[in-house]
Amino acid sequence: MIVVMKPGATSEQVQHVVDLVRDFGLKDHVIRGTDRTVIACIGDKRAVDKGAIENATMVEQVVPILAPYKMASTEVKNTRTEVCIGPKKFPVGGKKIGIVAGPCSIESRDQLLRTAEACAKAGAIGLRGGAYKPRTSPYSFQGLREEGLRICEEARDLTGLAIVTEAIGVEELTHVSQSCDVVQIGARNMQNYPLLEAAGRQPKPVLLKRGPSAKLEEWLLAAEYIINAGNPNIILCERGIRTYEDYVRNTLPLAVVPELRERTHLPVMVDPSHGTGHAHLVPPMCQASVACGCDGLLLEVHPDPEHALSDGAQSITPQALVDIMAVLGRIANAVGREM
Ligand code: PEP
Ligand code: MN
């Protein structure tokens, strides 16, 4: 349930309600808005004396949270969350749409630094690149691991881009959290609950990809695990789902973007690279994503896609990124956003 305080409630009056809520065995999350404070109360409500809370000074009303995902829901917070990322603190979820671009895998120092410079020049706000790769086959390239993270740090120093890289397990998360600006939780790990909880206990924002077979509600409950463990800075990323269709690698269900904007205050990015699997489909799906309200795009960019060690077929070139950015600016303006 949510306790809505009247405008002007003092911090002592809020604290009094928090103490009451804790007395009833519930966990509290205080959310201070511009004109009023709300206290989201999570836990078993059966032993709660709702009247006692309603009668506390400056309480306006006590309302139930209907969605199963509580803290991620717009029922608890109806203003958009801005997740600030990287050395420049770019606010993902604000008016400006942020592009995070870079290779699927970090293959070498030269490859990452060259790509980073090109992406920064094209107007990206972040650099993606996997140091630890969750590959379908154990014989495929598995990533440069810690060496890849050192190269990421160098790329950030060179360009000022926010580094977004994946943690494939709890052990890797420790290293990723220390080096990068945003911890990516990949599609295959969306329901790895110990990893979600560990991501909730570390300080960096989390980019949470949708599992290829996860429903929207399961995805938001995965985000809830991270918030519940202590980290509210989550960016959701749609990367396509598994369907019977095989002209694409995954089916990219863009209706999820406006649906998420109704259900959650968390920012939403789209990854049209994994969402289609084909470089020629990436530019039009970038346009569609911006048109339907995404807060950012995650794009695979490689200086030489034909020789990429992973996901070459869906990687665009740095020049294609420059071309996309020009078109996206016009679409963003048409829907009240900016690039
Ligand atoms: C990736 O971003 O390279 C990746 C492995 O993505 P996903 O988890 O969406 O498959
Ligand atoms: Mn990839």
Side-chain angles (χ1 to χ4, degrees):
M1 63 189 188
I2 310 166
V3 182
V4 183
M5 301 299 290
K6 290 181 182 161
T10 64
S11 44
E12 288 76 24
Q13 287 159 339
V14 171
Q15 188 57 45
H16 176 71
V17 175
V18 166
D19 292 342
L20 259 180
V21 163
R22 289 183 188 168
D23 287 345
F24 290 126
L26 299 184
K27 191 169 168 183
D28 59 281
H29 295 267
V30 178
I31 300 155
R32 291 176 210 283
T34 41
D35 60 326
R36 63 177 79 226
T37 298
V38 304
I39 303 151
C41 314
I42 313 291
D44 185 353
K45 292 180 287 295
R46 281 173 300 186
V48 176
D49 178 358
K50 191 168 161 237
I53 299 175
E54 272 165 347
N55 286 336
T57 316
M58 292 299 271
V59 168
E60 186 163 280
Q61 56 173 340
V62 178
V63 285
I65 310 171
L66 300 176
Y69 41 86
K70 309 284 177 196
M71 300 302 300
S73 163
T74 43
E75 289 177 55
V76 164
K77 180 171 180 276
N78 61 11
T79 53
R80 309 296 309 161
T81 290
E82 293 184 10
V83 177
C84 294
I85 67 166
K88 296 184 181 157
K89 304 255 172 287
F90 182 90
V92 179
K95 189 167 187 190
K96 272 180 111 118
I97 293 164
I99 306 294
V100 174
C104 177
S105 306
I106 302 158
E107 299 167 3
S108 69
R109 181 173 176 274
D110 177 67
Q111 171 243 22
L112 193 73
L113 298 189
R114 261 204 304 153
T115 313
E117 280 187 313
C119 293
K121 206 161 153 230
I125 56 128
L127 177 69
R128 61 145 296 145
Y132 304 93
K133 293 306 299 178
R135 303 303 302 280
T136 303
S137 162
Y139 307 117
S140 302
F141 176 60
Q142 303 285 316
L144 296 181
R145 305 179 64 85
E146 284 79 8
E147 184 194 342
L149 295 179
R150 300 292 85 78
I151 302 172
C152 282
E153 289 165 357
E154 205 179 325
R156 175 177 46 216
D157 292 345
L158 187 71
T159 60
L161 293 173
I163 303 299
V164 181
T165 193
E166 180 169 352
I168 54 172
V170 174
E171 200 182 309
E172 291 79 4
L173 175 66
T174 313
H175 301 295
V176 167
S177 175
Q178 272 165 16
S179 314
C180 76
D181 300 298
V182 179
V183 175
Q184 177 173 328
I185 302 227
R188 294 162 182 79
N189 267 319
M190 192 210 82
Q191 283 172 313
N192 180 341
Y193 299 115
L195 180 60
L196 296 175
E197 284 175 337
R201 290 191 298 264
Q202 60 78 52
K204 300 290 171 69
V206 176
L207 181 103
L208 178 64
K209 288 197 156 192
R210 183 210 195 142
S213 65
K215 297 210 277 188
L216 182 152
E217 190 170 296
E218 292 165 331
W219 186 15
L220 287 173
L221 281 166
E224 191 77 11
Y225 262 92
I226 302 172
I227 306 178
N228 191 46
N231 187 352
N233 296 312
I234 301 167
I235 302 166
L236 299 166
C237 181
E238 172 60 66
R239 48 78 76 203
I241 52 171
R242 178 70 64 92
T243 69
Y244 53 81
E245 194 53 89
D246 61 3
Y247 77 97
V248 277
R249 181 178 176 189
N250 290 292
T251 296
L252 188 60
L254 286 182
V256 85
V257 176
E259 185 66 27
L260 281 170
R261 288 184 73 88
E262 282 185 21
R263 293 184 187 221
T264 181
H265 48 85
L266 298 173
V268 183
M269 291 183 74
V270 177
D271 170 356
S273 308
H274 293 86
T276 62
H278 299 286
H280 74 101
L281 295 176
V282 170
M285 296 319 283
C286 286
Q287 296 177 30
S289 303
V290 170
C292 72
C294 76
D295 297 299
L297 293 164
L298 187 71
L299 298 176
E300 287 190 338
V301 175
H302 196 288
D304 182 8
E306 284 184 352
H307 295 99
L309 294 184
S310 61
D311 287 352
Q314 66 193 33
S315 298
I316 60 169
T317 61
Q319 183 54 47
L321 178 65
V322 171
D323 297 343
I324 290 172
M325 293 296 274
V327 181
L328 293 186
R330 298 204 298 277
I331 297 176
N333 292 341
V335 295
R337 306 289 289 270
E338 287 168 10
M339 290 304 294

